[in-house]
Amino acid sequence: MRIDLNSDLGESYGPWSMGDDRAMLDIVTSANIACGGHASDPETMFTTLRLAAERGVVIGAHPGYADREGFGRRVIPMSPAEAGRMVAAQIGALAGVAVVAGAVIRYVKPHGALSNVSMDDRAMADAIVAAIKAQPGDLALLAISGTELEEAGRAAGLTVFSEIFADRGYLPNGRLVPRSQPGAMIHDAGAAAERLLRFLETGRMPVLGGDPIPLRAQSVCVHGDSPGAVAMAREIRSALTARNVEIASFL
């Protein structure tokens, strides 16, 4: 078996620090780098891009609602067309800094509330996909498994890769447990690793209040902003390699 490990990185802003990007980039094989919307700034983008490029980690743009105070986890009312232009602007910002950093952006993964809306809102999903498709470089899409965004990307002819989350709980409909509810986050690294191994063996994800559901995945996300994120990522990678699972980027 083969799987990618990805993490949301570059989410610091000015003197405010979020996560340990340097350590995570020694563990993951793909990095979703914030583009100045929900987090980041030009210096943070540059540093994270450079660190990823030096380690051979595949780089993706991670656009989200322009809401630093809410870390992109609040829905900002806007039309699908407006959201598409916002995504295009953020990809462009990261791409501009990437040129200076000697890095290349290969894919796009929406962040937070923007991703959540596009799970079920096909118009929003189509607008995000159209913005990605319009960019130079044939960017791929990393989308949460079993969502409208995933299907919209395939319908538009994008190269689409599906992801699941190592440290998030799932509902029977395949959606993530809201962060405000119990069971939303998995903090036990051993439990997260065992759940992931069972999924890779069976193709079915355990859920709250129901039987495991089928999902497909080429990538597994470990959130870089959660407590103990680096330790969890290390334990997950170690558990996978111990079971002869190859850790490699989807690109």
Side-chain angles (χ1 to χ4, degrees), residues 125-144:
D126 284 337
I128 292 171
V129 165
I132 296 170
K133 191 171 183 178
Q135 304 304 309
D138 294 323
L139 298 176
L141 170 66
L142 180 58
I144 296 175

Side-chain angles (χ1 to χ4, degrees), residues 45-46 49 89-103 105:
M45 290 185 218
F46 177 83
L49 287 161
Q90 291 186 31
I91 295 171
L94 188 68
V97 180
V99 173
V100 180
I105 298 172

Side-chain angles (χ1 to χ4, degrees), residues 167-188:
D167 52 2
R168 292 294 307 273
Y170 278 82
L171 297 170
N173 65 356
R175 300 301 177 253
L176 300 175
V177 177
R179 286 177 179 266
S180 60
Q181 296 182 13
M185 299 298 299
I186 298 173
H187 299 292
D188 186 312

Side-chain angles (χ1 to χ4, degrees), residues 36-54:
H38 72 283
S40 199
D41 53 53
E43 286 304 305
T44 299
M45 290 185 218
F46 177 83
T47 300
T48 313
L49 287 161
R50 178 65 65 83
L51 289 170
E54 289 173 351

